[in-house]
Amino acid sequence: MERNFALIGYPLGHSMSPVIHDRLFQLSGDGASRYSLVEIKPEHFRAQAPELFKLSGFNVTIPHKLNIIKYLDGMDISAKRYGAVNVVKCGEQNIGYNTDVDGFLRSVNSLGANLSGRVLLLGCGGAGRMMAIETIRHGGELTIAVRNRPESIEKGQNVLSNIKMLADDAKVRLTTLDGVSGDYDLLLNSTPCGMYPHAGEMPVNPAVLERVEFVFDAIYNPGATELVKTARANGAKAIGGMAMLVWQAVAAHEIWDGVTYDPETISNLIGEMEYAVEHDFGS
Ligand code: NAP
């Protein structure tokens, strides 16, 4: 039976999601499901949201990860924890999930790092907030660095008080990207700084990378950002965001269809997508 899935967001540009999800359907022997891109401008979301539930399931990205919540019948604990939905399974009940966290944790693990040490998080928007909460859940000592502008600092302070509400003994502090000091076990970049077409830009002074052991950059285009390249040149272990992107998609298929995938197959798919982003998606 033909089923339809989609990515909802705006703008979607050259999203890699259809390629990744088509490959995952193929790998699970499903030749009948289709995955497409549905761009919805924020001002049209209210009118178009009810139509989305005719799909079998969908992914949600910027700027609708919060907007979708009021149209759902329920949310899994993963979505409640971060207050953001990136996967919806449609049916008698339309339920929201967060699988970005699966991709993030798998990536940190594959790097050989862990979240229980001194963690420096750059930026704290949607993805950053999830990384911050996970760091605290794993007992890490967290420094969040944001842009040195009143509005960015205010958002950072909101995330900080949010975290303190979730865990009042959390070891967390706020600083600015231009004021980062100290040594860190793991640096997490959740800013879009360095993303195509601004490859070459860095969210922090390169000197910061001389005092860091592991780096995870959520950006997947380019495959290796300036941050990742500089960290590697300094002897740190560093990876980009493709593994996170692919593993969050894998977790969506597990939710939609109950299918599981062999880790080696997924590792090959990540390699395939890293090659594709360098050669086919303009980086
Ligand atoms: P978001 O909600 O817009 O948050 C972006 C954060 O970065 C905010 O804290 C923002 O702070 C800061 N920021 C924006 N531009 C900046 C700049 N030029 N320099 C320094 N800080 C800047 O976005 P998001 O959804 O969290 O996504 C963030 C990044 O993660 C994007 O690159 C996205 O592609 C990537 N991502 C990857 C995956 C994956 O699967 N690999 C999944 C989710 C997200 P201000 O308050 O200062 O604007």
Side-chain angles (χ1 to χ4, degrees):
M1 185 185 66
E2 187 174 314
R3 298 180 307 157
N4 292 300
F5 295 83
L7 172 65
I8 318 301
Y10 186 83
L12 292 174
H14 292 113
S15 168
M16 297 201 69
S17 289
V19 185
I20 295 172
H21 287 283
D22 282 345
R23 290 285 286 116
L24 289 171
F25 281 125
Q26 205 179 56
L27 286 168
S28 67
D30 177 348
S33 291
R34 303 278 165 264
Y35 192 96
S36 55
L37 296 177
V38 178
E39 284 197 324
I40 306 181
K41 288 187 177 168
E43 61 270 31
H44 297 152
F45 193 74
R46 196 169 155 198
Q48 295 190 30
E51 290 296 304
L52 298 175
F53 300 101
K54 291 180 182 161
L55 295 162
S56 297
F58 54 93
N59 293 107
V60 189
T61 188
I62 296 174
H64 302 312
K65 286 184 179 183
L66 302 182
N67 301 342
I68 193 68
I69 291 174
K70 58 176 169 291
Y71 299 93
L72 300 173
D73 299 309
M75 289 209 285
D76 179 66
I77 176 72
S78 57
K80 284 184 187 153
R81 182 169 287 145
Y82 316 110
V85 165
N86 76 303
V87 173
V88 175
K89 181 175 183 172
C90 305
E92 274 176 33
Q93 298 258 294
N94 300 310
I95 308 293
Y97 299 79
N98 187 302
T99 65
D100 281 338
V101 63
D102 300 79
F104 169 61
L105 293 177
R106 290 249 186 200
S107 299
V108 170
N109 196 28
S110 76
L111 190 56
N114 65 66
L115 295 169
S116 58
R118 296 160 303 171
V119 177
L120 171 64
L121 170 66
L122 312 181
C124 59
R129 194 168 172 278
M130 175 274 287
M131 294 179 195
I133 293 173
E134 280 307 304
T135 301
I136 297 305
R137 275 166 50 77
H138 285 78
E141 197 179 303
L142 177 65
T143 301
I144 302 175
V146 297
R147 283 196 271 200
N148 198 349
R149 316 184 302 175
E151 62 270 39
S152 303
I153 293 171
E154 193 186 330
K155 280 192 231 164
Q157 278 162 345
N158 286 341
V159 172
L160 215 71
S161 16
N162 242 230
I163 288 175
K164 287 280 186 188
M165 264 166 27
L166 292 172
D168 58 4
D169 60 344
K171 290 178 232 140
V172 55
R173 69 185 192 99
L174 186 67
T175 187
T176 54
L177 289 167
D178 56 10
V180 171
S181 61
D183 296 343
Y184 297 93
D185 301 306
L186 172 63
L187 180 152
L188 306 169
N189 179 35
S190 79
T191 80
C193 187
M195 185 165 78
Y196 177 81
H198 301 291
E201 292 181 9
M202 289 253 286
V204 277
N205 187 316
V208 170
L209 296 166
E210 290 164 13
R211 308 188 303 271
V212 166
E213 202 175 336
F214 296 99
V215 172
F216 170 68
D217 193 336
I219 294 172
Y220 53 84
N221 187 5
T225 55
E226 202 56 29
L227 183 80
V228 166
K229 287 190 211 161
T230 311
R232 286 176 182 162
N234 281 325
K237 257 193 106 184
I239 57 167
M242 188 56 82
M244 176 171 169
L245 185 71
V246 171
W247 277 110
Q248 64 77 30
V250 168
H253 286 250
E254 288 173 2
I255 289 165
W256 291 331
D257 288 333
V259 287
T260 52
Y261 297 86
D262 165 40
E264 203 180 316
T265 306
I266 298 306
S267 176
N268 291 338
L269 180 58
I270 293 167
E272 216 181 284
M273 293 300 117
E274 279 171 340
Y275 182 88
V277 89
E278 295 299 334
H279 296 86
D280 309 330
F281 282 79
S283 61

